[in-house]
Amino acid sequence: MKGLKLTGYGDPNEVVELVDVPDVGDPGPDEVVIDVEASSVEPTDLYIIAGIYGALPPLPHRLGAQGVGRVSAVGSDVKHLKVGGRTVVPPLSNAWVERVKTSAPWLRPLPDADVNQLAMLGINPATAYLLLTEIVPVQAGEWVVQNAANSGVGRSVMAVAKSKGIKTVNVVRRPELVGELTALGGDIVLVDGPDLPQRIAEATDNAKIALALDGVGGSATQRLLDTVGHSGTVIIYTSMSGEPLTVPGPPLLFANQTIRGFWIVNWFQEQTSFDKITAMYQDLAELVASGALSLPVIGEFTLEQYPEALALAGEYRGKVIFKPNVRQ
C-alpha cells in the first residue's frame, strides 16, 4: 500500500516521499484495521516536516497527524466497533496512508456527517474542547477570550463554547475576518492591537474574565494577561508568532495570575481510563453532524499529489485533505 514518509527535515519537496509500505495485516484480538478515507494536513504536520515542532520523531517517519476511515477488520475481542463502521484514526497514528491498524479501545462509531469534517476531529477540535473543560472551570454565561480565532482551534473553540453556553471574545489580526467569525457564532470579534484589553472591557461591560487562550505568543500574551482578572489564567497552546514570551514579573505576581502550556499529547498520556476520551469525541462528532462545527476546506488531493497539497496547506488559508484510497 502507499503512504507518505519523511526522510529529513526541511523543504517538503526534498524530504517527503510517496513510498510503498507493508500492509498492516490481520488485526490481533484487541485491534481494528481502518481503511483511511480522509486525512487532513495540519500545522503539526508542517511543523514536523520543517523540523520546528516541539517533539520531533526519529527518521524516517510516516506522516499524518489525524484522519477518519471505515473499519475493514476487527479482532476477536473487539466489541466497540464493527466492520463497515466509520471511526477516527487515533491522533498521531500516521494517517497519510491507505490503512492503519490500532488497538485504541476508546474509538467509537461516528454518526453520518461530512467525511472531511470528521477527518479533522482528532487534534484541533479536541484541543479546543479540552482548553474549555479541563483546566479552568468556565460556566455557561461566562466569558472566555481567545486570540488566533480564525485558526482551526479558534473556530472549534467558538463552536464548543456555543454548545455549552459560554460566551467568547475572539481576537483576529485582519479586519476582514470580523464579519465572517461573527456570522459563525463569535459573540464579540475584535482586531488585535495595543488597546485590546480596554476594548474587551468595554465590549463585555467590564465582565470578570478568568480564562484566555493564547495561540499567538510573544507580545500578544501580555495583552491577554491584561484582559483576565485577578487570579486569571492564560493558556498557551501554540505560538504562531514565533516570538519569545516577554512578560514582566511583578504584575503577574501581584495579580496572582497563571500562565501555563497545553499540549494534547500530554493529556492523552495522562489518562488512566478511556471514558473522557470517548465522551469528548462523541460530543465533538455530534457537533460536526449537526453542522455546528465546521472548518474551511480549500482542497482535496490524492497521496500522489502531495507536492501540490503541501504547498497549498503551507499558505494556511484553510484545510487541505488527503484521500489516501483515491488514485489519480
Side-chain angles (χ1 to χ4, degrees):
M1 64 178 181
K2 298 292 185 181
L4 292 174
K5 182 178 72 173
L6 183 66
T7 60
Y9 300 117
D11 186 336
N13 291 317
E14 298 175 357
V15 299
V16 178
E17 296 180 358
L18 179 67
V19 297
D20 290 310
V21 296
D23 209 333
V24 297
D26 296 330
D30 64 343
E31 294 178 323
V32 300
V33 175
I34 303 170
D35 291 350
V36 181
E37 293 179 286
S39 179
S40 60
V41 180
E42 294 299 317
T44 295
D45 300 305
L46 299 177
Y47 296 157
I48 289 175
I49 292 170
I52 58 174
Y53 197 53
L56 293 174
L59 298 172
H61 173 71
R62 294 251 298 280
L63 291 162
Q66 63 182 358
V68 69
R70 295 281 185 183
V71 177
S72 58
V74 300
S76 58
D77 294 340
V78 173
K79 308 301 181 186
H80 53 288
L81 290 171
K82 295 181 179 180
V83 171
R86 180 177 280 157
T87 192
V88 298
V89 176
L92 303 178
S93 293
N94 310 324
W96 295 355
V97 69
E98 293 179 46
R99 277 178 295 284
V100 298
K101 183 166 64 176
T102 179
S103 61
W106 54 265
L107 294 176
R108 294 294 183 273
L110 293 171
D112 289 335
D114 184 288
V115 67
N116 289 343
Q117 296 299 322
L118 292 174
M120 296 183 283
L121 278 180
I123 296 178
N124 287 173
T127 295
Y129 188 98
L130 296 170
L131 289 171
L132 289 170
T133 61
E134 281 290 296
I135 302 167
V136 175
V138 183
Q139 304 302 318
E142 295 180 338
W143 289 95
V144 169
V145 176
Q146 65 161 340
N147 57 26
N150 188 47
S151 67
V153 171
R155 287 171 179 252
S156 300
V157 163
M158 287 191 291
V160 174
K162 185 71 68 177
S163 74
K164 297 182 178 299
I166 298 168
K167 295 184 287 188
T168 57
V169 178
N170 306 279
V171 182
V172 296
R173 288 178 285 182
R174 292 183 284 131
E176 60 267 28
L177 292 171
V178 172
E180 179 182 352
L181 295 191
T182 300
L184 286 176
D187 295 288
I188 297 171
V189 185
L190 300 172
V191 178
D192 204 353
D195 63 341
L196 179 68
Q198 292 77 24
R199 287 185 285 128
I200 291 176
E202 293 172 2
T204 62
D205 197 21
N206 292 302
K208 178 176 173 58
I209 298 174
L211 176 62
L213 310 176
D214 186 6
V216 178
S219 60
T221 305
Q222 183 62 59
R223 291 192 288 279
L224 294 183
L225 283 168
D226 292 340
T227 297
V228 297
H230 191 277
S231 299
T233 298
V234 174
I235 305 175
I236 301 173
Y237 64 89
T238 190
S239 183
M240 294 180 181
S241 70
E243 300 173 359
L245 180 64
T246 55
V247 174
L252 188 69
L253 169 68
F254 293 113
N256 197 40
Q257 293 175 324
T258 300
I259 303 173
R260 62 154 294 172
F262 179 82
W263 186 32
I264 192 171
V265 174
N266 290 332
W267 183 84
F268 268 102
Q269 293 174 345
E270 292 164 0
Q271 300 312 298
T272 56
S273 76
F274 303 112
D275 293 345
K276 281 188 176 181
I277 306 175
T278 298
M280 172 179 68
Y281 281 116
Q282 288 179 327
D283 285 353
L284 291 172
E286 290 172 5
L287 289 178
V288 168
S290 71
L293 174 56
S294 180
L295 302 179
V297 174
I298 57 173
E300 297 181 6
F301 297 86
T302 67
L303 292 179
E304 290 84 354
Q305 295 170 315
Y306 72 90
E308 301 98 311
L310 297 180
L312 182 59
E315 297 177 8
Y316 296 101
R317 295 188 290 109
K319 298 294 186 178
V320 168
I321 305 293
F322 279 123
K323 300 287 187 175
N325 282 285
V326 176
R327 292 285 173 264
Q328 284 182 279

